[in-house]
């Protein structure tokens, strides 16, 4: 693709969520969502193969449907109140429509079916954008209207996403699908705390992004698309394997790593609000997530598949240039827990 075209596309993808985050006007929020949607489609179909075309089509249809429902809710709200903002007087059905459409954009269960397929069908670095940057705009809208949303529907979406994210990842062998189901589970944790303390949702989102970026960099560096291929990456980038193991444990929420912090704080907050059953179910499902992360660690670090020559190390791997940021991100994603008193305060 032409470099100038790429710059314009990436700039538009960057500006979409920024416009949505910095707007209180519903129409401008919708414009930001549309910018990020339309800009990423050319990147999805950049590789001319049926899998990419299928992924781009699924993504576009799902996101366009959600955008249409969002616009419908905004226009009906304007017709009712005469303003481009949701208020206490807004019809609850319009707010439920807004919540459901934003859930479709985020890939929350039961609107999650497109996310693993699309992530699997696109290049790994585009999958990273889908699972991190593209989540910011819908979450920022939810952050602004959280006090108007129905807490029961929000909790149902959260619990179902955590369940699907845990159970769905168990039988996957493709690394991108595993990361997609991991994303669904993390979005569920964010939705669970949204009605009680939206600031903790932002903390969870930041930590999730910090953990996901180095994981995807590791997958790109080792050119791994499945558990089988990641197990053979020890001779391409041996140092990456140690970092990958730590990041996976942190993603699973194992103390004393950084990933434990949002789970710990969210469960504490839920218990303060007497959501005992919900927090118990979430903690149990977190163990299933940890199980399939451990399976990846077992394949990468604790086993060595039989190959022709065990002594050859590929020291000059073409993707090694991506690894300069890995140590910093790995340190942040594993050693931030001692800072938790300052974060909570």
């Amino acid at each position: 693709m032409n470099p100038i075209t790429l710059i314009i596309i990436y700039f538009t993808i960057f500006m979409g969520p920024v416009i949505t985050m910095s707007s209180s006007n519903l129409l401008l929020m919708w414009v930001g969502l549309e910018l990020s949607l339309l800009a990423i489609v050319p990147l999805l179909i950049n590789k001319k193969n049926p899998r990419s075309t299928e992924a781009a089509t699924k993504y576009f249809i799902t996101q366009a449907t959600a955008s249409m429902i969002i616009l419908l809710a905004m226009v009906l709200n304007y017709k009712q109140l005469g303003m481009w903002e949701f208020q206490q007087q807004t019809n609850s059905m319009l707010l439920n429509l807004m919540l459901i459409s934003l859930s479709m954009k985020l890939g929350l269960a039961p609107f999650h079916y497109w996310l693993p397929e699309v992530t699997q069908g696109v290049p790994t670095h585009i999958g990273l954008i889908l699972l991190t940057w593209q989540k910011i705009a819908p979450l920022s809208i939810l952050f602004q209207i959280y006090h108007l949303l129905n807490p029961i529907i929000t909790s149902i979406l959260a619990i179902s996403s955590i369940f699907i994210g845990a159970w769905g990842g168990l039988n996957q062998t493709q690394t991108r699908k595993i990361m997609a189901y991991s994303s669904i589970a993390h979005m569920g944790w964010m939705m669970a705390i949204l009605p009680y303390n939206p600031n903790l949702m932002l903390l969870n989102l930041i930590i999730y992004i910090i953990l996901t970026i180095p994981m995807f960099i590791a997958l790109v560096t080792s050119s791994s698309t499945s558990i089988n291929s990641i197990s053979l990456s020890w001779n391409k980038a041996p140092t990456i394997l140690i970092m990958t193991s730590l990041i996976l444990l942190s993603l699973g929420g194992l103390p004393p790593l950084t990933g434990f912090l949002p789970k710990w704080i969210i469960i504490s907050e839920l218990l303060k609000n007497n959501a005992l059953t919900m927090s118990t179910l979430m903690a149990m499902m977190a163990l299933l997530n940890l199980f399939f992360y451990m399976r990846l660690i077992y394949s990468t670090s604790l086993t060595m598949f039989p190959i022709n020559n065990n002594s050859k190390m590929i020291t000059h791997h073409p993707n090694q240039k991506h690894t300069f940021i890995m140590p910093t991100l790995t340190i942040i994603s594993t050693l931030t827990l001692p800072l938790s008193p300052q974060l909570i305060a």
Side-chain angles (χ1 to χ4, degrees), residues 85-314:
E85 288 179 14
F86 287 127
Q87 301 290 337
Q88 292 288 352
Q89 298 83 3
T90 302
N91 191 321
S92 60
M93 183 60 72
L94 300 183
L95 292 168
N96 291 340
L97 275 177
M98 194 74 178
L99 177 57
I100 288 168
S101 55
L102 290 171
S103 300
M104 288 175 69
K105 281 192 168 290
L106 287 169
L108 291 170
F111 313 106
H112 67 283
Y113 294 99
W114 64 272
L115 187 61
E117 296 299 324
V118 171
T119 311
Q120 179 60 28
V122 299
T124 310
H125 64 284
I126 305 299
L128 172 62
I129 297 173
L130 279 180
L131 297 182
T132 53
W133 187 251
Q134 294 295 90
K135 307 284 188 187
I136 293 175
L139 284 171
S140 68
I141 298 176
L142 288 171
F143 181 81
Q144 292 187 46
I145 63 171
Y146 80 94
H147 57 287
L148 302 171
L149 299 175
N150 186 331
I152 296 173
I153 297 176
T154 309
S155 299
I156 290 170
L157 289 168
I159 287 291
S160 57
S161 298
I162 293 168
F163 265 75
I164 294 294
W167 286 108
L170 284 178
N171 63 341
Q172 299 300 329
T173 57
Q174 303 294 317
T175 51
R176 281 170 291 184
K177 277 194 176 182
I178 289 173
M179 293 308 296
Y181 280 107
S182 166
S183 172
I184 294 168
H186 278 89
M187 290 298 133
W189 280 81
M190 291 177 215
M191 290 298 290
I193 200 60
L194 180 65
Y196 305 105
N197 192 337
N199 292 323
L200 291 186
M201 184 198 77
L202 289 184
L203 174 66
N204 196 344
L205 175 65
I206 291 165
I207 291 176
Y208 164 71
I209 290 173
I210 289 171
L211 295 176
T212 305
I213 290 172
M215 187 62 216
F216 270 91
I217 291 174
L219 294 178
V220 171
T221 304
S222 56
S223 305
S224 302
T225 55
S226 66
I227 292 180
N228 197 20
S229 61
I230 203 171
S231 64
L232 298 172
S233 62
W234 62 273
N235 61 340
K236 294 178 184 176
T239 52
I240 292 287
L241 290 186
I242 302 166
M243 298 186 208
T244 306
S245 301
L246 286 171
I247 293 162
L248 283 167
L249 287 173
S250 191
L251 267 172
L254 199 71
L257 305 174
T258 305
F260 176 63
L261 175 60
K263 290 183 168 56
W264 172 32
I265 299 176
I266 286 172
I267 287 177
S268 300
E269 189 71 23
L270 287 172
L271 291 173
K272 285 177 191 173
N273 288 279
N274 297 319
L276 180 62
T277 308
M278 189 174 179
S279 53
T280 306
L281 288 172
M282 289 166 65
M284 288 167 64
M285 289 302 111
L287 294 176
L288 285 180
N289 281 100
L290 187 59
F291 174 79
F292 63 75
Y293 294 134
M294 287 296 293
R295 192 176 59 173
L296 267 177
I297 294 168
Y298 180 76
S299 297
T300 53
S301 309
L302 304 178
T303 61
M304 189 177 291
F305 277 62
I307 58 174
N308 294 332
N309 191 342
N310 288 341
S311 64
K312 284 192 174 180
M313 300 293 288
I314 305 172

Side-chain angles (χ1 to χ4, degrees), residues 1-75:
M1 195 180 282
N2 190 325
I4 297 173
T5 310
L6 268 180
I7 291 169
I8 294 170
I9 286 172
Y10 278 112
F11 180 72
T12 311
I13 290 172
F14 172 75
M15 283 307 297
V18 171
I19 291 170
T20 304
M21 281 187 289
S22 56
S23 304
S24 59
N25 186 294
L26 288 173
L27 200 59
L28 278 176
M29 289 181 186
W30 180 80
V31 168
L33 288 170
E34 289 306 291
L35 280 175
S36 57
L37 160 61
L38 295 173
I40 202 168
V41 171
L43 295 180
L44 298 180
I45 55 173
N46 195 16
K47 286 191 173 182
K48 302 294 189 294
N49 59 58
R51 195 67 191 266
S52 294
T53 310
E54 180 190 347
T57 307
K58 285 179 179 176
Y59 182 77
F60 180 78
I61 290 173
T62 310
Q63 299 290 316
T65 305
S67 296
M68 181 182 67
I69 299 171
I70 289 171
L71 191 59
L72 173 68
M74 290 175 178
V75 170

Side-chain angles (χ1 to χ4, degrees), residues 309-326:
N309 191 342
N310 288 341
S311 64
K312 284 192 174 180
M313 300 293 288
I314 305 172
T315 53
H316 300 291
H317 194 256
N319 285 326
Q320 287 293 327
K321 61 180 182 292
H322 292 291
T323 60
F324 72 95
I325 201 170
M326 276 290 288

